[in-house]
Amino acid sequence: MNNNIPSDLPEGHVRVYVGKDKEFPRKFDLEANYLNHPLLVNLLHLSVDEFGYSYNGALRIACEIDLFQHLLQLLHTRNPSFAEHYVDLPDLISKFYAAATHHHHNYCGQN
């Protein structure tokens, strides 16, 4: 068994830590195939500049947790309009926060 894989991680999943706060990220166990989705690939590329490639044996994603949960919900439900309406990360971010009741200025590295 690979000692780098957490023992509580379900088979076919990867662990990621999400959040803009370096001290208090939130842990998510994702289906490994989600990492192939272009939006997650883009998030990972943006996060490398801030955190590098790993965080305690897991991937680290610099993103607002609410936005990441929204992305996961769309991936999980495989919403048919998802591919049509969210073709790139800035589009997903702008649509998410346009619908939100609160606004922040720095989302997932986008200014």
Side-chain angles (χ1 to χ4, degrees), residues 18-20 24-26 28 63-70 97:
V18 177
K20 299 291 279 182
F24 301 105
R26 182 162 172 199
F28 290 87
C63 179
E64 296 290 334
I65 292 171
D66 290 342
L67 175 60
F68 190 77
Q69 288 176 313
H70 177 69
Y97 285 106

Side-chain angles (χ1 to χ4, degrees), residues 1 3-4 7-8 14-15 18 21 26-27 33-34 47 60 66 70 74-75 77 87 89 92 97-98 104 108 111:
M1 178 173 232
N3 291 335
N4 293 330
S7 61
D8 62 335
V14 294
R15 179 150 299 154
V18 177
D21 186 331
R26 182 162 172 199
K27 177 179 77 171
N33 63 335
Y34 285 177
S47 300
R60 184 69 166 93
D66 290 342
H70 177 69
L74 292 170
L75 289 170
T77 61
V87 293
L89 188 58
L92 173 71
Y97 285 106
H104 299 282
C108 292
N111 292 320

Side-chain angles (χ1 to χ4, degrees), residues 65-85:
I65 292 171
D66 290 342
L67 175 60
F68 190 77
Q69 288 176 313
H70 177 69
L71 172 59
L72 288 184
Q73 180 182 9
L74 292 170
L75 289 170
H76 183 70
T77 61
R78 290 172 174 77
N79 183 332
S81 65
F82 181 60
E84 298 169 16
H85 297 294

